[in-house]
Amino acid sequence: MAHDHMIEMLDLDAEVLQDYHRDLVAWVAREAPAHPRVVDLGAGSGTGALALARELPDATVTAVDVDPDMLAHVGAKASAAGLGDRIRTLVADLDQPWPDLGPTDVIWAASSMHHMADPAGALRSAFNALAVGGLLVIAELDSFPHFLTGTPDEAVEKRAHAEVARLREEAGMHMHENWKDRISAAGFPSVTEQRFDIDLRAPLPASAARYAEVTLGRMHDRLSDRLPASDLAALEKATATLADRDDLSVRTTRTVWLARR
Ligand SMILES: C[S@@+](CC[C@H](N)C(=O)[O-])C[C@H]1O[C@@H](n2cnc3c(N)ncnc32)[C@H](O)[C@@H]1O
């Protein structure tokens, strides 16, 4: 069930933040070489792999993830979308020596680099895997989106975010790295950075309330032994009423680095 929620959350992220995703994929498409062989690192539910295959009709895409269930979902979605012949899946733990990815022109890693135990090593492997002139795209997030800013529940949502941030730090996740410096250190001669400040207000699509529900529900579950009971109850109450509220917003920051080998 937790797994299904993760897949749903990733799919909802792409749906609700569709303008950001569209702008990002269009940017990559402008920069990518012709007939690119794309690798999606930590592909998750496949939103990046599918969007890239759609935007780049000459591309082939390899979706890599450590989680075979995620890749089964990617495979099913690719077939249903008629993209099964251009998207292949590859189970691999990118914290281990990388499998041979074959000739690679674009490496895309969205919200996955912070999961790597050794991001510097992963970036060096990405550099080595790319053809000369190939493109590296790293997209990272500051935090999960905030949905309750400006509402009576803003403070409890903020406390939950602060606790999730501590949890991630304790788990050794690399959330707020200087990715520009890290990418340069891996050998890429130039790196372009673009920040996307996302602030969606009412009227929001119905999927936004569901995105908030899944995200806040996951945060609640992860923090069940870390937040005071009063905060957990307040989060639960806020989550239960999301579909009926008209004061939701979706605020988040994504930063993207583009580098060419
Ligand atoms: C937050 S999700 C992002 C998914 C997708 N890129 C997106 O933007 O929606 C991170 C993904 O990285 C994968 N991942 C984490 N550590 C990994 C590793 N060591 N090797 C391969 N994949 C990994 C997870 O299984 C998960 O699917």
Side-chain angles (χ1 to χ4, degrees):
M1 180 55 90
H3 202 266
D4 290 350
H5 278 164
M6 179 69 179
I7 288 176
E8 187 183 10
M9 192 174 80
L10 295 173
D11 284 348
L12 284 165
D13 186 84
E15 190 178 332
V16 175
L17 308 186
Q18 55 182 277
D19 290 350
Y20 154 70
H21 285 279
R22 196 183 45 237
D23 288 354
L24 173 55
V25 169
W27 182 23
V28 173
R30 285 195 300 278
E31 297 291 331
H35 309 290
R37 293 153 298 190
V38 179
V39 174
D40 180 359
L41 298 180
S45 69
T47 57
L50 267 87
L52 289 163
R54 285 202 180 95
E55 185 72 21
L56 295 159
D58 295 332
T60 52
V61 182
T62 302
V64 184
D65 206 286
V66 70
D67 183 338
D69 293 343
M70 285 286 184
L71 292 181
H73 182 77
V74 178
K77 269 203 315 197
S79 299
L83 297 167
D85 56 334
R86 291 198 291 120
I87 298 180
R88 73 168 181 131
T89 59
L90 176 63
V91 179
D93 181 351
L94 296 164
D95 283 329
Q96 301 299 321
W98 286 17
D100 183 5
L101 298 171
T104 302
D105 306 297
V106 176
I107 289 183
W108 161 282
S111 306
S112 55
M113 218 20 101
H114 66 259
H115 285 275
M116 302 296 144
D118 174 16
L123 289 168
R124 276 195 305 276
S125 298
F127 181 84
N128 291 333
L130 274 173
V132 173
L135 201 65
L136 174 73
V137 185
I138 304 287
E140 280 293 332
L141 67 172
D142 278 5
S143 70
F144 289 132
H146 290 240
F147 299 99
L148 301 170
T149 307
T151 78
D153 299 310
E154 175 174 355
V156 70
E157 186 185 42
K158 271 194 177 156
R159 287 195 292 277
H161 273 282
E163 201 51 39
V164 168
R166 274 191 283 276
L167 195 67
R168 289 177 138 169
E169 210 175 303
E170 286 167 24
M173 283 201 183
H174 300 268
M175 279 304 290
H176 299 106
E177 297 281 314
N178 185 332
W179 292 107
K180 191 169 187 175
D181 283 359
R182 280 212 176 279
I183 294 165
S184 298
F188 291 88
S190 73
V191 187
T192 306
E193 176 178 311
Q194 192 171 336
R195 190 182 146 104
F196 295 82
D197 286 310
I198 295 155
D199 183 354
L200 308 177
R201 311 277 179 101
L204 294 169
S207 51
R210 178 64 188 155
Y211 186 27
E213 194 180 358
V214 175
T215 305
L216 293 171
R218 273 176 57 87
M219 285 170 75
H220 173 279
D221 293 351
R222 288 174 76 188
L223 299 176
S224 58
D225 57 352
R226 297 185 60 118
L227 279 184
S230 53
D231 275 2
L232 289 168
L235 260 187
E236 222 165 294
K237 192 163 166 239
T239 307
T241 58
L242 288 167
D244 305 321
R245 294 176 72 142
D246 58 6
D247 58 356
L248 293 186
S249 55
V250 185
R251 296 170 207 230
T252 183
T253 301
R254 303 291 159 99
T255 310
V256 181
W257 294 266
L258 239 69
R260 199 174 293 282
R261 178 172 174 177

